[in-house]
Amino acid sequence: MDALNRKPADHSSEHDGDPTTRPTVPPARPESDAGARRAPAATPAGRDADVIVVGAGPTSLLLAGDLAEAGIAVTLLERRDDTTSNLSRALAVHARSLEQLDARGLADELIAGGHRLPGLQVFGDGMLPAGRLHSRFPFVLITPQYEVERLLLRRARQAGVTFRYGAEVQGLTQDADGVTVRFRAAGGGAGEAAGDVGSLRAGYVVGTDGARSSVRAAIGLPFPGKAVVRSVVLADVRLDRAPDSPFAVRAARDAFALVGSFGDGWYRVLGWNRHAQAPDDAPACLDEVREVTRLSFGTDFGMRDARWISRFHSDERQAPAYRVGRVFVAGDAAHVHSPAGGQGMNVGLQDAANLSWKLAAVVRGHSPDRLLDSYQEERHPVGTAVLRSSGALIRLALLRGAPARALRRLGGQLLTRLPSLSRRAIGGVSGIDVAYPAGPGAHRLVGHRAPDLRLAGGGRLYELLRQGRFVLVTPAGEIPQEALREAATDRVVTACWASERRTALLVRPDGYVAWATDATAPGERATALRSALVRWTGAGSDPTDASPTSAPSAPSTSSAPSTSSAPAAARSAGRSARR
């Protein structure tokens, strides 16, 4: 179990927490292996941006950077100023998130400063070995969240994202043509005083502003769920004696705790004591953290010098809809769950990767608006699955009585000793096995994550994905130039297999297979490819065409309502969630 990806549940921004000095962001420098930024298209009259992103955490920064690199005008609003950040945040980065960062030229730099763990420890002696993952990153990376943010922030600034710090969202209205966001300024900007109310207008808004999302509240979107565990203490401390592992977790009769290393002499400690329950607003002290650590590990490792201590409760909540008209929610604004499995930040990064290329395609006029509905259809089931898996792990930690604890130990041993079971478990937690609906009659690979294929000439698939385009992979010598001439070449990059494989693949910008064929007849392959390119890249099609652009099996959940119908759509989604 990895409960290190956790922040206080009662904060409203992905960066909320005890204000400390923001880590220094190095000067922008060119990335030799990243795709060139596309020239931005003109923003329609009456709009300040194409997309407004609210929040400045990892989900926000990846999304905003993707959009800006695609030539989309992006403004990011964050209620904090630009000198404060929360050092006590997530620590675990899973394999699928590392793959997404690799597709943006950032993974190797992040890995260089972190700890690689061979697997994910669960309560008892259980271990989910990440070495069984078919990925370039068969490990769990332990590194502070602020390092992830530092790299994504640098990339977003290089790409041209406009940042508005000290801007607290007060509400929004949307209509058929766009969204107007109202915000209150903290002051400090040119001609701006604290408390001033301003507004910005954009074509779309994405709320990535945490569990108490102002964006989600503004569109009347419910957030049903409940608290799973209360009075969890969290601290960043120094230790006189290091644990055996840079990440360790233990559960006792009435307590559990985990200890993780930041790699710089500081440690994250999280714990829960059944007999020391207090309200969230009750102050936590170092002695309380020492006690729960001793109960769980038999020692407090010489704990001292706490730089941050907090108390929180862990909720399981999920918005019934991730889209209402022109407004989207992602990350903790869309779903929160127990810290078990360390999936919080990682799931948010995957939300952003799924949504960013779709928004870019629609804003640039390459695809119809309906493509945006597939964000809900693909990501909402993933959020539900994470709530279930993390909930099961945390409930194992809360088991009482000798028989229950024996069952927990047995479960951990089975996960470790049964390869098929452990591979399935780590595949789900890491995100490697996440797949999206493919639709009837689709090739068996469609909807699945594309691994980092070796390509002719020595390259890799995820290096090509750094261009933010679709990647067409064909057998050697069979790149269909005629079909590609009919397509928009700025939307597709081509490559050939390094092996003798004959399958042709069209890989989406987020690394999932959009289309594939094993057909061998040249005419049949060319016809199928031409249809796939029109469908997915929009080449040669009318973006207002009603034909489907995505291939989900679930029904669409939202269309673009008027200002007055958006809250009604949210209420309807809430009723559906309660049924």
Side-chain angles (χ1 to χ4, degrees):
M1 171 182 173
D2 175 357
L4 294 177
N5 284 17
R6 187 62 219 172
K7 63 279 190 186
D10 58 349
H11 291 161
S12 60
S13 170
E14 285 196 314
H15 279 275
D16 283 354
D18 189 49
T20 55
T21 302
R22 171 183 279 277
T24 301
V25 178
R29 67 172 186 265
E31 299 286 339
S32 59
D33 54 0
R37 179 189 171 202
R38 299 177 202 176
T43 302
R47 293 183 186 172
D48 302 288
D50 294 318
V51 179
I52 293 173
V53 178
V54 181
T59 303
S60 320
L61 294 171
L62 188 144
L63 175 70
D66 282 2
L67 292 170
E69 285 197 339
I72 306 303
V74 184
T75 295
L76 187 148
L77 302 180
E78 166 59 44
R79 69 179 182 84
R80 298 175 302 107
D81 62 42
D82 64 351
T83 62
T84 59
S85 182
N86 175 18
L87 295 181
S88 290
R89 304 285 292 185
L91 276 179
V93 185
H94 286 298
R96 185 57 183 154
S97 294
L98 289 172
E99 290 182 343
Q100 293 290 3
L101 293 172
D102 186 26
R104 291 155 179 84
L106 302 173
D108 291 339
E109 185 177 351
L110 183 68
I111 291 168
H115 293 294
R116 304 186 192 193
L117 297 186
L120 188 67
Q121 186 178 0
V122 293
F123 290 111
D125 299 323
M127 174 68 71
L128 302 181
R132 292 174 179 161
L133 295 172
H134 299 297
S135 170
R136 185 171 176 246
F137 309 105
F139 50 84
V140 178
L141 182 71
I142 302 299
T143 192
Q145 177 176 318
Y146 57 75
E147 287 298 319
V148 179
E149 292 175 355
R150 178 180 66 84
L151 298 180
L152 291 173
L153 176 61
R154 185 185 71 198
R155 172 177 178 258
R157 286 177 170 169
Q158 289 175 335
V161 173
T162 298
F163 286 83
R164 291 288 301 266
Y165 288 99
E168 184 174 1
V169 170
Q170 301 294 294
L172 61 83
T173 55
Q174 61 173 315
D175 52 47
D177 298 319
V179 189
T180 299
V181 178
R182 300 183 304 280
F183 63 90
R184 182 173 60 203
E192 182 181 89
D196 282 355
V197 176
S199 66
L200 293 171
R201 186 165 174 81
Y204 296 92
V205 170
V206 186
T208 59
D209 49 341
R212 297 181 67 180
S213 168
S214 298
V215 171
R216 191 186 62 240
I219 58 176
L221 191 58
F223 205 37
K226 62 183 179 180
V228 181
V229 59
R230 297 184 181 276
S231 197
V232 180
V233 290
L234 179 71
D236 290 349
V237 299
R238 299 279 192 183
L239 301 179
D240 288 335
R241 299 177 301 281
D244 294 337
S245 167
F247 169 76
V249 57
R250 293 287 186 275
R253 176 185 175 89
D254 290 308
F256 66 78
L258 47 83
V259 180
S261 172
F262 280 101
D264 58 358
W266 289 97
Y267 288 81
R268 161 72 52 77
V269 180
L270 181 149
W272 176 83
N273 183 348
R274 192 185 303 275
H275 302 295
Q277 297 293 291
D280 288 351
D281 57 359
C285 66
L286 186 57
D287 284 342
E288 185 177 357
V289 183
R290 288 191 181 111
E291 174 65 14
V292 72
T293 308
R294 284 194 293 265
L295 287 172
S296 302
F297 284 89
T299 177
D300 64 10
F301 303 104
M303 191 181 300
R304 56 183 171 82
D305 301 338
R307 67 179 177 186
W308 192 76
I309 303 178
S310 182
R311 186 190 310 276
F312 69 91
H313 68 271
S314 178
D315 285 358
E316 287 178 344
R317 298 183 183 277
Q318 185 179 25
Y322 288 6
R323 178 189 188 187
V324 175
R326 291 177 170 268
V327 182
F328 302 82
V329 290
D332 285 354
H335 44 73
V336 294
H337 46 80
S338 92
Q343 299 172 83
M345 177 181 69
N346 294 272
V347 179
L349 291 172
Q350 302 308 313
D351 289 346
N354 183 285
L355 179 58
S356 63
W357 70 269
K358 297 173 181 178
L359 266 175
V362 172
V363 171
R364 290 171 66 89
H366 298 168
S367 299
D369 181 85
R370 190 199 296 34
L371 174 63
L372 298 174
D373 285 336
S374 68
Y375 168 63
Q376 157 84 15
E377 293 153 356
E378 292 180 345
R379 293 304 300 171
H380 194 276
V382 175
T384 301
V386 172
L387 259 70
R388 290 172 179 167
S389 64
S390 62
L393 285 173
I394 199 68
R395 285 168 176 81
L396 280 174
L398 301 177
L399 289 175
R400 301 187 69 178
R405 295 198 305 276
L407 179 63
R408 181 173 62 205
R409 286 193 298 272
L410 176 61
Q413 293 168 1
L414 289 175
L415 282 174
T416 301
R417 296 174 182 175
L418 297 179
S420 60
L421 185 60
S422 63
R423 171 61 183 81
R424 181 177 178 181
I426 191 64
V429 170
S430 67
I432 290 296
D433 286 352
V434 168
Y436 299 140
H443 190 278
R444 66 186 182 282
L445 297 177
V446 171
H448 289 268
R449 153 196 165 269
D452 194 14
L453 308 173
R454 290 290 173 182
L455 304 174
R460 299 186 291 112
L461 172 63
Y462 280 71
E463 290 172 330
L464 285 184
L465 286 173
R466 293 172 189 175
Q467 298 184 35
R469 296 170 167 85
F470 285 83
V471 177
L472 176 64
V473 183
T474 64
E478 291 190 14
I479 295 177
Q481 298 296 342
E482 181 178 350
L484 288 171
R485 277 195 295 271
E486 298 175 7
T489 56
D490 66 337
R491 306 176 201 178
V492 183
V493 60
T494 60
C496 294
W497 293 93
S499 68
E500 297 299 316
R501 184 155 185 175
R502 308 305 297 169
T503 303
L505 296 176
L506 184 65
V507 181
R508 299 173 2 173
D510 61 353
Y512 288 83
V513 178
W515 167 88
T517 183
D518 293 317
T520 56
E524 182 181 352
R525 287 170 73 98
T527 299
L529 173 60
R530 188 176 293 107
S531 176
L533 290 173
V534 168
R535 180 181 191 181
W536 285 98
T537 73
S541 67
D542 180 352
T544 63
D545 188 2
S547 61
T549 304
S550 58
S553 58
S556 171
T557 58
S558 64
S559 57
S562 66
T563 304
S564 60
S565 65
R571 289 193 296 271
S572 175
R575 288 192 294 270
S576 297
R578 291 189 291 270
R579 282 199 291 267

